[in-house]
């Protein structure tokens, strides 16, 4: 079968790729006025263990003095504590407002105890160099935590308190995202993965940080909102017919591993990343999760929205045969 697009047809994509690479080489960085961003390096295992030991030590010291211990961490729910950085995305500012969980307060004493319990579980994981998912931790103490949501919130609070990503706590999340196309990489255990496009896709690995030796000749990455649309592209051999590319889906709202994978692809390959989303508030919200920004104002002005599936009313392969090839060929993206 003749490819839908030839190399010469990807002029707009290639121009964008060149601009992006030049920006990376030049270290171009756009910053606004305001508070300084916190960009601390993640702690090592020994540092995490020491930080947890210090928290427990401070707790016992307060109790020995007859004082009520308090756990303090940055308030992650406040947008005042966050600024956007073009290089790394959303970052905490240096002078954050904080949340306090007090031992003597009847409303927070239970959460105080749950934080200490979770810290002890994390300590064991880091000390033994083993990993667990959030789901694993919850099922170890279902009656204590009551619900997965409560444990998830506590883990996020601990990440803010220690100022480390969840990976440093040896806590993983189960991936739901998929990836396909012109990409090969080696996982942490040495397994070589080939994402060559076929009828099935590769599940995004749980340990994205452990991926190495990425190899790809892809000209761009396409992030797809819906799994159904992703499968449509696979069925139509999109990656083969449209020249080398990589397609990724988070199956709706993306999980952390899918977002980390997309970031890794950009850091290593420096190729354009496009998003195929519904032109409605939910689709734009999902796009904003991948990349900070918003186009809500355009839809409010036009009083219109559009869904990807609407293209199927023209023909079953209109998306892969007409819509996407023309968007990529002529640069018709937002």
């Amino acid at each position: 079968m003749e490819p839908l697009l030839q190399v010469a047809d990807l002029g707009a994509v290639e121009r964008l790729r060149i601009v992006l690479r030049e920006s990376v080489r030049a270290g171009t960085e756009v910053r606004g006025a305001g508070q300084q961003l916190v960009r601390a390096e993640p702690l090592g295992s020994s540092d995490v263990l020491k930080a947890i030991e210090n928290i427990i030590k401070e707790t016992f010291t307060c109790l020995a003095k007859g004082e009520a211990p308090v756990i303090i961490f940055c308030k992650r729910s406040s947008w005042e504590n966050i600024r956007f950085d073009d290089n790394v995305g959303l970052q905490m500012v240096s002078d954050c407002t904080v949340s306090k969980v007090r031992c003597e307060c009847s409303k927070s004493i239970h959460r105080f105890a749950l934080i200490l319990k979770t810290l002890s579980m994390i300590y064991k994981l880091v000390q033994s160099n083993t990993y667990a998912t959030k789901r694993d931790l919850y099922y170890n103490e279902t009656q204590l935590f009551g619900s997965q949501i409560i444990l998830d919130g506590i883990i996020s609070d601990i990440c803010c308190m220690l100022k480390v990503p969840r990976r440093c706590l040896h806590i993983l999340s189960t991936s739901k995202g998929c990836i396909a196309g012109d990409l090969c990489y080696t996982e942490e255990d040495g397994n070589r993965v080939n994402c060559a496009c076929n009828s099935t896709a590769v599940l995004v690995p749980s340990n994205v940080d452990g991926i190495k030796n990425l190899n790809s000749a892809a000209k761009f990455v396409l992030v797809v909102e819906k799994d159904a649309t992703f499968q449509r592209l696979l069925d139509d051999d999109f990656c083969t017919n449209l020249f080398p590319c990589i397609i990724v889906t988070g199956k709706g709202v993306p999980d952390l591993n899918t977002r980390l994978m997309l970031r890794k692809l950009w850091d290593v390959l420096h190729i354009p990343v496009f998003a195929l989303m519904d032109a409605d508030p939910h689709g734009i919200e999902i796009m904003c999760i991948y990349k900070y920004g918003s186009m809500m104002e355009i839809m409010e002005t036009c009083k219109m929205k559009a869904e990807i599936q609407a293209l199927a009313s023209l023909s079953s392969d209109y998306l892969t045969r007409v819509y996407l090839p023309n968007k990529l060929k002529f640069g018709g993206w937002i």
Side-chain angles (χ1 to χ4, degrees):
M1 177 184 286
E2 187 71 18
L4 295 175
L5 285 183
Q6 303 293 337
V7 180
D9 293 330
L10 292 173
V13 175
E14 185 63 17
R15 287 192 294 273
L16 177 58
R17 186 179 68 85
I18 293 172
V19 170
L20 292 173
R21 290 199 169 186
E22 288 178 349
S23 297
V24 171
R25 288 196 208 97
T28 303
E29 196 170 325
V30 180
R31 295 187 181 277
Q35 296 157 296
Q36 183 181 359
L37 296 171
V38 177
R39 305 180 69 175
E41 290 295 321
L43 299 179
S45 295
S46 60
D47 296 320
V48 171
L49 292 176
K50 185 175 181 180
I52 295 176
E53 290 169 357
N54 288 337
I55 293 172
I56 302 302
K57 182 179 179 180
E58 290 174 6
T59 299
F60 278 109
T61 300
C62 287
L63 291 173
K65 293 180 179 179
E67 301 173 354
V70 179
I71 292 177
I72 302 174
F73 50 88
C74 295
K75 187 180 293 184
R76 58 188 172 84
S77 60
S78 175
W79 283 100
E80 294 179 354
N81 288 340
I82 298 173
R83 292 291 182 272
F84 179 75
D85 182 276
D86 279 349
N87 287 335
V88 293
L90 296 176
Q91 291 283 288
M92 301 292 289
V93 297
S94 56
D95 53 342
C96 295
T97 55
V98 298
S99 294
K100 297 182 179 180
V101 182
R102 301 181 180 276
C103 181
E104 84 281 9
C105 178
S106 59
K107 292 183 179 179
S108 63
I109 187 171
H110 181 62
R111 189 169 186 84
F112 185 94
L114 292 181
I115 291 174
L116 292 184
K117 174 61 178 178
T118 306
L119 282 171
S120 71
M121 299 167 76
I122 291 170
Y123 191 92
K124 291 178 181 178
L125 289 174
V126 177
Q127 189 179 48
S128 61
N129 195 30
T130 56
Y131 292 83
T133 66
K134 292 189 291 185
R135 201 68 175 161
D136 292 332
L137 296 182
Y138 170 67
Y139 276 114
N140 285 337
E141 298 286 353
T142 54
Q143 292 185 339
L144 179 64
F145 291 107
S147 73
Q148 182 74 60
I149 294 176
I150 292 176
L151 175 60
D152 292 352
I154 289 174
I155 291 173
S156 296
D157 288 341
I158 291 174
C159 288
C160 286
M161 181 166 54
L162 301 182
K163 293 183 173 61
V164 296
R166 192 172 65 230
R167 164 76 184 171
C168 291
L169 305 181
H170 285 223
I171 299 176
L172 306 175
S173 58
T174 304
S175 298
K176 67 169 184 172
C178 292
I179 187 168
D182 193 313
L183 177 67
C184 294
Y185 58 84
T186 304
E187 294 185 312
E188 188 176 33
D189 60 2
N191 182 43
R192 188 66 177 170
V193 178
N194 187 351
C195 302
C197 200
N198 49 47
S199 59
T200 60
V202 174
L203 193 66
V204 172
S206 295
N207 181 15
V208 176
D209 287 338
I211 291 176
K212 56 185 179 181
N213 300 327
L214 274 80
N215 185 22
S216 175
K219 296 297 183 181
F220 61 89
V221 177
L222 180 65
V223 182
V224 183
E225 175 188 352
K226 300 175 181 177
D227 185 41
T229 306
F230 182 84
Q231 293 300 323
R232 176 77 265 173
L233 298 180
L234 285 181
D235 293 342
D236 290 345
D237 292 329
F238 179 79
C239 299
T240 302
N241 293 333
L242 197 63
F243 211 68
C245 66
I246 300 169
I247 56 176
V248 179
T249 183
K251 300 180 181 179
V253 177
D255 59 283
L256 178 61
N257 291 329
T258 303
R259 287 149 49 199
L260 288 174
M261 187 68 182
L262 193 64
R263 176 71 196 195
K264 187 135 193 145
L265 292 176
W266 161 250
D267 287 339
V268 176
L269 303 178
H270 297 307
I271 55 177
V273 179
F274 302 110
L276 180 61
M277 309 281 169
D278 285 338
D280 62 12
H282 186 64
I284 299 301
E285 179 188 15
I286 291 175
M287 183 183 71
C288 290
I289 295 175
Y290 284 108
K291 171 66 177 179
Y292 181 78
S294 177
M295 299 297 289
M296 301 303 288
E297 295 176 359
I298 292 178
M299 287 187 291
E300 287 179 354
T301 302
C302 298
K303 305 296 181 184
M304 297 175 65
K305 67 176 185 177
E307 294 187 353
I308 299 169
Q309 274 70 27
L311 298 175
S313 63
L314 301 175
S315 69
S316 61
D317 61 347
Y318 187 86
L319 174 67
T320 53
R321 183 175 55 86
V322 179
Y323 181 81
L324 283 173
N326 279 281
K327 284 283 186 180
L328 292 165
K329 180 177 181 179
F330 299 110
W333 51 73
I334 297 176

